Amino acid sequence: MYKLLIAEDVKTVRDTLARSVPWESIGISLLGTAENGEAALARLERETPDLLLTDIGMPKMNGLELIEACKARNPDIRCIILSGLNEFEHARRAISLQVQQYILKPIDPDEIARVFSEVVRELGRERRQREELSVAESKLRDELPNLAGALPPDEWSGSLKKKRLVEQAIGYIKQNYTRGDLALSDVADAVGLSEKYMNLLVKEVTGTTINAWIVRHRLEEAARLLKDPANRIYEICERIGYTDQDYFREVFKKQYGRTPTEYRNSRL
């Protein structure tokens, strides 16, 4: 269970948040509520929540100030803003503080449950990845004796065989990136390694993961295709293995700082 603290100055809203959202059913243990930022910060001195749900406009210490103070104490805490202040400046500062979500009032318990379910799933994935990586690191030498034992320790990280395995993985990605269901398991099977060790090797040699390589190659191909105005954007989306154009637009903008349309117009 992930621990949550709620900071909200309006008692009726605070009580509704505590009672109307099925926290335990989505994997969250509610530590309690606080009526302002200072009270919430005082609780953080005694407890270590994984999640913070806070209003922006509160007396004594507003939500953004609270988040900043929380991040200074615990950089890994996930913060979700709840506010009736739909203003760009608040949203922009929230982004700079790496706020997970920005939810507007009036509150909708179903929407809040949906948002927190997503956050819990993400935390679960990250926790599993950390555990798997820890196990993989401890077993890597046993699983890959040719790589670990053939060279002295100071040369092991740059072994030719490791690099060749990674080249095989990237080559497979380049040949199969158009498959919408292409996943780490497919790449690992093609190279003949387990998923954990395949991902570990690629991360060690290239600095990024298999899934990141898949996304990177798809977007590079999209950028190449966008330079030809004869290629329609929805066709490019399908050709690189995506079925959701909104998702394609989102990941493309994250990579290149522009939407596919803006990128194309800048190249014409």
Side-chain angles (χ1 to χ4, degrees), residues 133-147:
L133 183 59
S134 177
V135 172
E137 288 173 340
S138 66
K139 293 183 176 179
L140 183 58
R141 291 180 181 273
D142 293 333
E143 288 287 325
L144 301 174
N146 291 334
L147 301 183

Side-chain angles (χ1 to χ4, degrees), residues 28-46:
I28 291 175
S29 172
L30 180 60
L31 290 178
T33 61
E35 66 273 14
N36 57 56
E38 284 189 355
L41 198 58
R43 294 204 61 160
L44 287 168
E45 300 293 341
R46 306 188 303 270

Side-chain angles (χ1 to χ4, degrees), residues 1-15:
M1 299 284 279
Y2 296 97
K3 295 176 289 185
L4 166 69
L5 177 64
I6 296 174
E8 165 61 59
D9 62 318
V10 179
K11 186 177 186 305
T12 54
V13 176
R14 194 165 61 242
D15 291 344

Side-chain angles (χ1 to χ4, degrees), residues 8 34 71 73 91 107 109 120 128 137 153 157 162 165 168 199 202 209 217 240 244 251:
E8 165 61 59
K71 289 281 188 179
R73 289 164 171 76
I107 63 171
V120 166
R128 288 191 298 273
E137 288 173 340
S157 64
K162 287 172 68 177
L165 288 169
Q168 290 179 35
N199 216 28
V202 172
T209 63
H217 188 69
I240 64 171
D244 187 333
V251 295

Side-chain angles (χ1 to χ4, degrees), residues 62-80:
N62 67 41
L64 295 177
E65 292 169 335
L66 172 61
I67 290 171
E68 194 167 10
C70 289
K71 289 281 188 179
R73 289 164 171 76
N74 177 15
D76 293 328
I77 191 170
R78 301 302 173 92
C79 302
I80 295 88

Side-chain angles (χ1 to χ4, degrees), residues 8-262:
E8 165 61 59
D9 62 318
V10 179
K11 186 177 186 305
T12 54
V13 176
R14 194 165 61 242
D15 291 344
T16 299
L17 288 170
R19 298 171 184 171
S20 300
V21 180
W23 297 114
E24 290 193 3
S25 69
I26 57 179
I28 291 175
S29 172
L30 180 60
L31 290 178
T33 61
E35 66 273 14
N36 57 56
E38 284 189 355
L41 198 58
R43 294 204 61 160
L44 287 168
E45 300 293 341
R46 306 188 303 270
E47 299 170 293
T48 308
D50 304 292
L51 301 159
L52 171 69
L53 173 60
T54 179
D55 189 11
I56 288 183
M58 297 185 295
K60 299 184 179 180
M61 175 184 285
N62 67 41
L64 295 177
E65 292 169 335
L66 172 61
I67 290 171
E68 194 167 10
C70 289
K71 289 281 188 179
R73 289 164 171 76
N74 177 15
D76 293 328
I77 191 170
R78 301 302 173 92
C79 302
I80 295 88
I81 281 179
L82 176 70
S83 179
L85 302 175
N86 185 14
E87 297 176 5
F88 176 72
E89 286 303 319
H90 288 93
R92 185 168 65 177
R93 188 175 175 201
I95 291 169
S96 72
L97 293 172
Q98 297 181 317
V99 169
Q100 198 76 12
Q101 295 278 358
Y102 192 100
I103 305 172
L104 294 177
K105 294 178 181 178
I107 63 171
D108 179 351
D110 291 338
E111 172 66 9
I112 292 172
R114 183 193 66 77
V115 167
F116 274 90
S117 294
E118 290 180 4
V119 175
V120 166
R121 283 194 294 271
E122 182 178 333
L123 285 170
R125 285 194 298 269
E126 292 178 1
R127 177 177 288 180
R128 288 191 298 273
Q129 288 172 356
R130 286 194 299 269
E131 292 171 351
E132 290 174 358
L133 183 59
S134 177
V135 172
E137 288 173 340
S138 66
K139 293 183 176 179
L140 183 58
R141 291 180 181 273
D142 293 333
E143 288 287 325
L144 301 174
N146 291 334
L147 301 183
L151 296 170
D154 59 338
E155 297 180 22
W156 185 74
S157 64
S159 86
L160 180 60
K161 189 168 184 179
K162 287 172 68 177
K163 291 181 179 179
R164 285 177 177 170
L165 288 169
V166 172
E167 287 174 358
Q168 290 179 35
I170 294 173
Y172 183 83
I173 291 171
K174 290 181 177 180
Q175 293 173 0
N176 296 274
Y177 72 94
T178 57
R179 284 176 41 199
D181 61 348
L182 180 63
L184 166 60
S185 58
D186 301 310
V187 181
D189 287 344
V191 178
L193 296 175
S194 72
E195 294 179 31
K196 289 185 291 187
Y197 303 126
M198 183 75 266
N199 216 28
L200 180 64
L201 280 180
V202 172
K203 182 69 181 290
E204 183 178 344
V205 173
T206 70
T208 191
T209 63
I210 289 287
N211 287 334
W213 263 103
I214 294 172
V215 173
R216 173 180 171 179
H217 188 69
R218 283 173 170 166
L219 295 180
E220 287 177 350
E221 182 64 10
R224 185 185 69 80
L225 293 170
L226 282 166
K227 294 175 183 177
D228 183 352
N231 294 321
R232 298 183 179 182
I233 290 178
Y234 76 88
E235 293 174 336
I236 293 174
C237 178
E238 294 174 355
R239 285 173 64 177
I240 64 171
Y242 290 134
T243 56
D244 187 333
Q245 290 187 56
D246 290 334
Y247 178 71
F248 167 53
R249 186 182 303 109
E250 179 183 336
V251 295
F252 189 92
K253 186 173 182 179
K254 185 176 181 180
Q255 175 72 20
Y256 291 99
R258 300 177 181 181
T259 66
T261 301
E262 290 169 344

